[in-house]
Amino acid sequence: MFPEIGNILLILAFTLSSVCFLSTSYSYYSDTKFYDLQKSAYIIFFLLLVSFLLLEFAFLTDDFSVLYVANNSNPNLPDYYKFSALWGGHEGSLLLFVLILSFWMIAFSFMNNYSKIKDKNIVLSFFHLILSCLLGFIIFSSNPFERLLPIPSLSGTDLNPLLQDFAFTIHPPMLYLGYAGLVVPFSIALGRCLNVKEGWTSKIRNWTVFSWSFLTLGIALGSWWAYYELGWGGWWFWDPVENSSLVPWLLATALFHSAIVSNSRKIFNNWTILLSILCIVGCFIGMFLVRSGILTSVHSFALDPERGLILLLLTFGITLYSFYVFFKSDVNDENTINYSLISKEYFLLINNLFLVILAAIILFGTIYPIFYEIFSDGKNISVGAPYFNLVTVPIAFFLAFFQGYGVLTKWQESPLELKPFLIILLSLFGLSIFFSYLIFNDLSLFNLAGIIMLSLILAGVFLSAFRNFNKGKLFFNSFGMNLAHFGIAVTILGIGVVSSHSDSKEVILDIGESVKLNNYEFTLLEEDTRKESNFFSQIAHFEVENLASGKTFNLKPEKAFYPASKSVMTESAISINFKEDVYISLSERLDTGEWIAKIQTKPFIRFIWLGALLMTLGGVFAFTRRVFIR
Amino acid sequence: MNKTYLISIPLIFILFISGIFLLNLNYEKKESLIVSDIPLFELQTLQKRKIDQSIFEEGEFKLINVWATWCINCKLEHGFLMNLKNQDIKIIGLNYKDDLEKAKKWLIQFGNPYYENVFDPLGDLGFELGVAGAPETYLVSKKNKILVKHIGIMNDKIWFDKFQSFLND
């Protein structure tokens, strides 16, 4: 009964959303009266929310007559995970996505007042366009309310054990807040193409920064989850799914920088609109890559070529439609200024180009295997870390340079003041090298590259903060930006160090035996087992002694067996430390009673996520300051 | 900046990769046409009788269906398999990484579409065949060659699109 109601509500939301889009389009092209459609946005949100809660209810009450619930839940799963199991599969995660999208729609329409109903309708209609496409896709080919009748399953498969985890419960919602948030600049930009000019540049800038913050947090959570849950101790795999979140992130980064120029200088207008469109196209291409089963990856959803075809058509249709609207528009720069080589405009332009090129290169590397498969008669290759590191690091290097000095430049023309910049740059560089030697007695090329980049960025940040320090308002205006830039430097520091100073060893240990890695001595003390409602596991107790400080601590990695899905999971044990993580993951237990384990040290890895957190905070700060405190 | 360039360059790029995606989506369907032999094996049936590759007799078409009681989608295709049985099509079941008692109970409860069932608790034969999960269905020719491999639920559409043409040859 309840699932059917949920289904009907979805269909109602789809119908209402399509009607909103069509009626606005009709009114626009036939030049007739516009009806106030604000309320329908609220109604759609409400319909989707109830529908979402009904599916949630099916999960919590173990209603296995619903196919999606049967495929993704299990009676023995703790309630907390039953709740989050809703977005553990393809259909439910799409439902969460459209719910979040409708939330952005009402948040946007609540916080932005347009003087004309017509203008507001036009902008909202582009939300409805995306929303109705996705709702149609859900209803016709990925319906989460589909029943498993006449024979309901008794127990349900299980939520994938990899996803029975805290980070997973918040990673998709954050990521979707980011992706769906990019529909806001998309709608404003297409609205601008239809002559809705009211404050469009500042709206694009503010809302992109806001959704970019969530996207950053979502990606960082995904990386953190992969680090401790997949058991290899890696934090970024250049996996197709990760890449397809990185591409919109880079484009969004380019977008709000370009919107800053459009807002302050009234130039780059076409470029800003193009980037807004590309962000959404990037999201759709990513969605296609992840959900069509065309590429294999750890995140893959259930595979169905027909779904892939529909998604491809959606991507295609939205691309053509938005490019058509853009092409027919007459957006021009409202200002003709000449800016010199050393000016904020020029630096931001170059940064924009590099960001877009970086996004294109990453996208190309991700889809190259698809390309190769066709032209080599079915052979498979994978493009891995070597390619991506080779192409991204040099570009990131240039980006860091322009980012570092860029924050110090002024609009139109600024004098070349290298002296203070170079002094700070060199002292930061020197300090970093000094500390690097102090801590690791070593300096690798990768680490050096990281140190140069971070010195460049930090020199800009410190100098800019210092100059504005006594200027009160100006300091707070640029605080969000400086904090986010600082976060990037922190992340780069983490990446540089962890890539060059990590250490790992595969060991076979009997109980009582010890092994050394770097400054640590690992001793396998004993084995144990434990049983939970959804799994049981074997535990190995390790005692780890830090030989430098003489301190000891215990680590208990597990090997868990999930009976419902018959899968084995490695639960790694990590000692978290400011300087470095100590990481143990179990591999196999030999018949002789020995354990094969992988032990690793990961210096500075926390900085990667700390930096992402700072970026998020910076973005949220900038948004709140611009929108609430004027 | 010239708008025509701004639009055409990314548009060409996007159209190009969409084209590649489209080609690839169609391509994978062809790839499932593989011809290989039945691997040699020695396992037990659900009734604990010994069984090996000789169960595949030459001279007739048969299906291998990979199933398990933990697999929900297997339940979805079960009705379709019963229909096939009623059309006198021989289906050899491969009970994959499953529990013997549960599997027996399932067949009694829902009906048995299988001519014979190979019990493969450790997935040995599954490994030889290249099984990725359940359900999967293979078409085996009169000369004991595997002609078609289908991953996922079987239904009328897939039967007509992928399997039927071979049976008429």
Short mmCIF file of all heavy atoms in Angstrom, two decimals, chain A residues 418-462:
data_model
loop_
_atom_site.label_atom_id
_atom_site.label_comp_id
_atom_site.label_asym_id
_atom_site.label_seq_id
_atom_site.Cartn_x
_atom_site.Cartn_y
_atom_site.Cartn_z
N LEU A 418 57.25 42.20 -6.85
CA LEU A 418 57.70 40.84 -6.58
C LEU A 418 58.43 40.71 -5.26
O LEU A 418 58.51 39.64 -4.67
CB LEU A 418 58.60 40.35 -7.72
CG LEU A 418 57.86 39.83 -8.94
CD1 LEU A 418 58.84 39.39 -10.00
CD2 LEU A 418 56.93 38.68 -8.57
N LYS A 419 58.98 41.84 -4.79
CA LYS A 419 59.90 41.75 -3.67
C LYS A 419 59.28 41.12 -2.40
O LYS A 419 59.79 40.10 -1.92
CB LYS A 419 60.48 43.12 -3.37
CG LYS A 419 61.86 43.05 -2.75
CD LYS A 419 62.46 44.43 -2.68
CE LYS A 419 63.54 44.48 -1.62
NZ LYS A 419 63.93 45.85 -1.32
N PRO A 420 58.18 41.69 -1.86
CA PRO A 420 57.61 41.08 -0.65
C PRO A 420 57.15 39.65 -0.90
O PRO A 420 57.33 38.77 -0.06
CB PRO A 420 56.42 41.99 -0.31
CG PRO A 420 56.18 42.82 -1.49
CD PRO A 420 57.44 42.89 -2.27
N PHE A 421 56.60 39.42 -2.11
CA PHE A 421 56.13 38.08 -2.46
C PHE A 421 57.28 37.09 -2.43
O PHE A 421 57.19 36.01 -1.83
CB PHE A 421 55.48 38.13 -3.84
CG PHE A 421 54.90 36.82 -4.29
CD1 PHE A 421 53.76 36.32 -3.70
CD2 PHE A 421 55.50 36.09 -5.31
CE1 PHE A 421 53.22 35.11 -4.11
CE2 PHE A 421 54.96 34.89 -5.73
CZ PHE A 421 53.82 34.40 -5.12
N LEU A 422 58.39 37.49 -3.07
CA LEU A 422 59.53 36.58 -3.14
C LEU A 422 60.14 36.32 -1.77
O LEU A 422 60.55 35.20 -1.47
CB LEU A 422 60.60 37.14 -4.09
CG LEU A 422 60.31 36.91 -5.57
CD1 LEU A 422 61.41 37.52 -6.42
CD2 LEU A 422 60.21 35.41 -5.85
N ILE A 423 60.15 37.36 -0.94
CA ILE A 423 60.73 37.19 0.40
C ILE A 423 59.93 36.14 1.18
O ILE A 423 60.49 35.19 1.73
CB ILE A 423 60.74 38.54 1.17
CG1 ILE A 423 61.76 39.47 0.51
CG2 ILE A 423 61.10 38.32 2.64
CD1 ILE A 423 61.73 40.87 1.07
N ILE A 424 58.61 36.32 1.17
CA ILE A 424 57.77 35.35 1.90
C ILE A 424 57.88 33.97 1.27
O ILE A 424 57.99 32.95 1.95
CB ILE A 424 56.31 35.82 1.93
CG1 ILE A 424 56.23 37.17 2.63
CG2 ILE A 424 55.43 34.80 2.64
CD1 ILE A 424 54.84 37.64 2.89
N LEU A 425 57.86 33.96 -0.07
CA LEU A 425 57.94 32.69 -0.79
C LEU A 425 59.20 31.93 -0.40
O LEU A 425 59.15 30.75 -0.04
CB LEU A 425 57.92 32.97 -2.30
CG LEU A 425 58.12 31.78 -3.22
CD1 LEU A 425 56.96 30.83 -3.09
CD2 LEU A 425 58.28 32.21 -4.66
N LEU A 426 60.35 32.63 -0.45
CA LEU A 426 61.61 31.94 -0.17
C LEU A 426 61.71 31.52 1.28
O LEU A 426 62.22 30.43 1.57
CB LEU A 426 62.80 32.84 -0.56
CG LEU A 426 62.99 32.97 -2.07
CD1 LEU A 426 64.10 33.94 -2.39
CD2 LEU A 426 63.27 31.59 -2.69
N SER A 427 61.19 32.35 2.19
CA SER A 427 61.29 31.93 3.59
C SER A 427 60.38 30.73 3.87
O SER A 427 60.74 29.82 4.61
CB SER A 427 61.00 33.09 4.54
OG SER A 427 59.91 33.84 4.07
N LEU A 428 59.19 30.73 3.24
CA LEU A 428 58.31 29.56 3.40
C LEU A 428 58.97 28.32 2.83
O LEU A 428 58.95 27.24 3.43
CB LEU A 428 56.99 29.79 2.67
CG LEU A 428 55.92 30.61 3.39
CD1 LEU A 428 54.81 30.96 2.42
CD2 LEU A 428 55.36 29.80 4.54
N PHE A 429 59.58 28.50 1.66
CA PHE A 429 60.24 27.40 0.99
C PHE A 429 61.36 26.83 1.87
O PHE A 429 61.45 25.62 2.10
CB PHE A 429 60.78 27.89 -0.35
CG PHE A 429 61.43 26.83 -1.17
CD1 PHE A 429 60.67 25.84 -1.77
CD2 PHE A 429 62.80 26.82 -1.35
CE1 PHE A 429 61.27 24.86 -2.52
CE2 PHE A 429 63.40 25.85 -2.10
CZ PHE A 429 62.64 24.86 -2.69
N GLY A 430 62.17 27.75 2.38
CA GLY A 430 63.28 27.35 3.24
C GLY A 430 62.80 26.61 4.48
O GLY A 430 63.31 25.54 4.83
N LEU A 431 61.78 27.19 5.11
CA LEU A 431 61.23 26.56 6.32
C LEU A 431 60.73 25.16 6.04
O LEU A 431 60.98 24.21 6.79
CB LEU A 431 60.07 27.40 6.86
CG LEU A 431 60.40 28.49 7.88
CD1 LEU A 431 59.13 29.27 8.23
CD2 LEU A 431 60.99 27.85 9.14
N SER A 432 60.00 25.02 4.92
CA SER A 432 59.43 23.70 4.59
C SER A 432 60.53 22.68 4.36
O SER A 432 60.44 21.55 4.83
CB SER A 432 58.57 23.78 3.33
OG SER A 432 57.70 24.85 3.41
N ILE A 433 61.58 23.09 3.63
CA ILE A 433 62.69 22.17 3.37
C ILE A 433 63.33 21.76 4.70
O ILE A 433 63.62 20.60 4.95
CB ILE A 433 63.75 22.84 2.47
CG1 ILE A 433 63.14 23.25 1.15
CG2 ILE A 433 64.94 21.93 2.27
CD1 ILE A 433 63.14 22.22 0.08
N PHE A 434 63.51 22.77 5.56
CA PHE A 434 64.14 22.52 6.85
C PHE A 434 63.34 21.48 7.65
O PHE A 434 63.87 20.50 8.14
CB PHE A 434 64.23 23.84 7.62
CG PHE A 434 64.71 23.70 9.03
CD1 PHE A 434 66.05 23.39 9.31
CD2 PHE A 434 63.83 23.85 10.09
CE1 PHE A 434 66.48 23.25 10.61
CE2 PHE A 434 64.27 23.70 11.39
CZ PHE A 434 65.59 23.40 11.66
N PHE A 435 62.02 21.72 7.72
CA PHE A 435 61.19 20.80 8.50
C PHE A 435 61.12 19.42 7.85
O PHE A 435 61.06 18.41 8.52
CB PHE A 435 59.79 21.37 8.69
CG PHE A 435 59.72 22.32 9.84
CD1 PHE A 435 59.53 23.68 9.64
CD2 PHE A 435 59.87 21.84 11.14
CE1 PHE A 435 59.49 24.54 10.72
CE2 PHE A 435 59.83 22.72 12.21
CZ PHE A 435 59.64 24.07 12.01
N SER A 436 61.12 19.43 6.52
CA SER A 436 61.08 18.16 5.81
C SER A 436 62.30 17.31 6.17
O SER A 436 62.19 16.12 6.42
CB SER A 436 61.03 18.43 4.31
OG SER A 436 60.86 17.23 3.63
N TYR A 437 63.49 17.97 6.23
CA TYR A 437 64.70 17.25 6.62
C TYR A 437 64.64 16.81 8.06
O TYR A 437 65.05 15.71 8.42
CB TYR A 437 65.94 18.13 6.37
CG TYR A 437 66.63 17.74 5.10
CD1 TYR A 437 66.47 18.48 3.94
CD2 TYR A 437 67.45 16.60 5.07
CE1 TYR A 437 67.08 18.10 2.76
CE2 TYR A 437 68.07 16.22 3.90
CZ TYR A 437 67.89 16.97 2.75
OH TYR A 437 68.50 16.58 1.60
N LEU A 438 64.11 17.72 8.88
CA LEU A 438 64.04 17.43 10.31
C LEU A 438 63.18 16.19 10.56
O LEU A 438 63.51 15.33 11.37
CB LEU A 438 63.43 18.63 11.02
CG LEU A 438 63.67 18.72 12.52
CD1 LEU A 438 65.13 19.01 12.79
CD2 LEU A 438 62.78 19.81 13.12
N ILE A 439 62.07 16.09 9.84
CA ILE A 439 61.13 15.01 10.11
C ILE A 439 61.50 13.74 9.35
O ILE A 439 61.47 12.65 9.90
CB ILE A 439 59.69 15.44 9.76
CG1 ILE A 439 59.30 16.64 10.62
CG2 ILE A 439 58.70 14.29 9.99
CD1 ILE A 439 57.96 17.24 10.27
N PHE A 440 61.87 13.88 8.08
CA PHE A 440 62.05 12.67 7.26
C PHE A 440 63.50 12.41 6.84
O PHE A 440 63.77 11.40 6.19
CB PHE A 440 61.18 12.75 6.01
CG PHE A 440 59.73 12.93 6.32
CD1 PHE A 440 59.11 14.15 6.09
CD2 PHE A 440 58.99 11.90 6.86
CE1 PHE A 440 57.77 14.33 6.39
CE2 PHE A 440 57.66 12.07 7.16
CZ PHE A 440 57.04 13.28 6.93
N ASN A 441 64.41 13.34 7.10
CA ASN A 441 65.81 13.22 6.67
C ASN A 441 65.94 12.97 5.19
O ASN A 441 66.83 12.27 4.74
CB ASN A 441 66.53 12.07 7.38
CG ASN A 441 66.46 12.23 8.87
OD1 ASN A 441 66.63 13.33 9.38
ND2 ASN A 441 66.17 11.15 9.55
N ASP A 442 65.06 13.50 4.42
CA ASP A 442 65.03 13.11 3.03
C ASP A 442 64.18 14.10 2.27
O ASP A 442 63.31 14.73 2.84
CB ASP A 442 64.42 11.70 2.93
CG ASP A 442 64.48 11.18 1.52
OD1 ASP A 442 65.35 11.65 0.77
OD2 ASP A 442 63.66 10.31 1.17
N LEU A 443 64.44 14.23 0.97
CA LEU A 443 63.60 15.12 0.18
C LEU A 443 63.43 14.51 -1.22
O LEU A 443 64.38 14.38 -1.95
CB LEU A 443 64.24 16.50 0.07
CG LEU A 443 63.34 17.57 -0.50
CD1 LEU A 443 62.23 17.90 0.48
CD2 LEU A 443 64.14 18.81 -0.81
N SER A 444 62.22 14.10 -1.54
CA SER A 444 62.02 13.51 -2.86
C SER A 444 61.47 14.57 -3.81
O SER A 444 61.04 15.65 -3.39
CB SER A 444 61.03 12.35 -2.77
OG SER A 444 59.75 12.86 -2.59
N LEU A 445 61.47 14.22 -5.09
CA LEU A 445 61.04 15.18 -6.11
C LEU A 445 59.58 15.56 -5.91
O LEU A 445 59.19 16.72 -6.00
CB LEU A 445 61.23 14.54 -7.49
CG LEU A 445 61.16 15.51 -8.67
CD1 LEU A 445 62.31 16.49 -8.61
CD2 LEU A 445 61.14 14.77 -9.97
N PHE A 446 58.76 14.56 -5.60
CA PHE A 446 57.33 14.79 -5.46
C PHE A 446 57.06 15.73 -4.29
O PHE A 446 56.26 16.65 -4.37
CB PHE A 446 56.63 13.46 -5.23
CG PHE A 446 55.27 13.40 -5.83
CD1 PHE A 446 55.10 13.13 -7.19
CD2 PHE A 446 54.14 13.61 -5.06
CE1 PHE A 446 53.85 13.09 -7.75
CE2 PHE A 446 52.88 13.57 -5.62
CZ PHE A 446 52.73 13.30 -6.97
N ASN A 447 57.78 15.47 -3.21
CA ASN A 447 57.63 16.31 -2.03
C ASN A 447 58.07 17.73 -2.33
O ASN A 447 57.44 18.70 -1.92
CB ASN A 447 58.46 15.70 -0.90
CG ASN A 447 58.03 16.22 0.45
OD1 ASN A 447 57.04 16.94 0.55
ND2 ASN A 447 58.77 15.89 1.47
N LEU A 448 59.17 17.85 -3.07
CA LEU A 448 59.70 19.16 -3.43
C LEU A 448 58.67 19.94 -4.24
O LEU A 448 58.41 21.12 -4.00
CB LEU A 448 61.00 19.00 -4.22
CG LEU A 448 61.75 20.29 -4.49
CD1 LEU A 448 62.33 20.83 -3.19
CD2 LEU A 448 62.85 20.07 -5.51
N ALA A 449 58.05 19.25 -5.21
CA ALA A 449 57.02 19.89 -6.03
C ALA A 449 55.89 20.39 -5.13
O ALA A 449 55.42 21.53 -5.27
CB ALA A 449 56.47 18.91 -7.05
N GLY A 450 55.49 19.55 -4.17
CA GLY A 450 54.44 19.94 -3.24
C GLY A 450 54.84 21.17 -2.44
O GLY A 450 54.06 22.11 -2.28
N ILE A 451 56.10 21.20 -2.00
CA ILE A 451 56.56 22.32 -1.17
C ILE A 451 56.57 23.62 -1.98
O ILE A 451 56.14 24.67 -1.49
CB ILE A 451 57.96 22.00 -0.59
CG1 ILE A 451 57.83 20.98 0.54
CG2 ILE A 451 58.61 23.28 -0.07
CD1 ILE A 451 59.13 20.51 1.09
N ILE A 452 57.02 23.53 -3.23
CA ILE A 452 57.04 24.75 -4.06
C ILE A 452 55.62 25.27 -4.25
O ILE A 452 55.34 26.46 -4.07
CB ILE A 452 57.69 24.46 -5.43
CG1 ILE A 452 59.18 24.12 -5.22
CG2 ILE A 452 57.57 25.67 -6.34
CD1 ILE A 452 59.87 23.67 -6.47
N MET A 453 54.69 24.35 -4.58
CA MET A 453 53.32 24.79 -4.81
C MET A 453 52.74 25.42 -3.56
O MET A 453 52.10 26.46 -3.60
CB MET A 453 52.46 23.59 -5.22
CG MET A 453 52.65 23.17 -6.65
SD MET A 453 51.34 22.04 -7.12
CE MET A 453 52.21 20.53 -7.14
N LEU A 454 52.98 24.76 -2.42
CA LEU A 454 52.35 25.27 -1.21
C LEU A 454 52.97 26.58 -0.78
O LEU A 454 52.27 27.47 -0.31
CB LEU A 454 52.41 24.20 -0.10
CG LEU A 454 53.27 24.36 1.12
CD1 LEU A 454 52.36 24.47 2.30
CD2 LEU A 454 54.13 23.14 1.31
N SER A 455 54.27 26.76 -1.03
CA SER A 455 54.89 28.04 -0.71
C SER A 455 54.31 29.16 -1.56
O SER A 455 54.03 30.25 -1.08
CB SER A 455 56.41 27.98 -0.93
OG SER A 455 56.95 26.85 -0.33
N LEU A 456 54.11 28.86 -2.86
CA LEU A 456 53.53 29.86 -3.77
C LEU A 456 52.15 30.30 -3.28
O LEU A 456 51.86 31.50 -3.18
CB LEU A 456 53.40 29.26 -5.17
CG LEU A 456 54.65 29.23 -6.03
CD1 LEU A 456 54.45 28.29 -7.20
CD2 LEU A 456 54.96 30.62 -6.52
N ILE A 457 51.31 29.30 -2.96
CA ILE A 457 49.95 29.63 -2.57
C ILE A 457 49.94 30.38 -1.25
O ILE A 457 49.30 31.42 -1.10
CB ILE A 457 49.09 28.35 -2.47
CG1 ILE A 457 49.00 27.68 -3.84
CG2 ILE A 457 47.71 28.67 -1.95
CD1 ILE A 457 48.36 26.33 -3.82
N LEU A 458 50.72 29.86 -0.29
CA LEU A 458 50.69 30.47 1.04
C LEU A 458 51.27 31.88 1.02
O LEU A 458 50.78 32.76 1.74
CB LEU A 458 51.45 29.59 2.03
CG LEU A 458 50.73 28.33 2.48
CD1 LEU A 458 51.53 27.61 3.53
CD2 LEU A 458 49.34 28.67 3.02
N ALA A 459 52.30 32.10 0.19
CA ALA A 459 52.87 33.44 0.11
C ALA A 459 51.78 34.44 -0.28
O ALA A 459 51.65 35.51 0.32
CB ALA A 459 54.01 33.46 -0.89
N GLY A 460 50.98 34.06 -1.27
CA GLY A 460 49.88 34.93 -1.69
C GLY A 460 48.87 35.13 -0.58
O GLY A 460 48.46 36.26 -0.28
N VAL A 461 48.49 34.03 0.06
CA VAL A 461 47.47 34.11 1.10
C VAL A 461 47.93 34.99 2.26
O VAL A 461 47.22 35.90 2.70
CB VAL A 461 47.13 32.69 1.62
CG1 VAL A 461 46.27 32.77 2.87
CG2 VAL A 461 46.40 31.90 0.55
N PHE A 462 49.17 34.75 2.73
CA PHE A 462 49.65 35.50 3.89
C PHE A 462 49.77 36.99 3.57
O PHE A 462 49.36 37.84 4.36
CB PHE A 462 51.02 34.96 4.35
CG PHE A 462 50.91 33.62 5.02
CD1 PHE A 462 51.98 32.75 5.06
CD2 PHE A 462 49.71 33.22 5.61
CE1 PHE A 462 51.89 31.51 5.66
CE2 PHE A 462 49.60 31.99 6.23
CZ PHE A 462 50.69 31.13 6.25
#
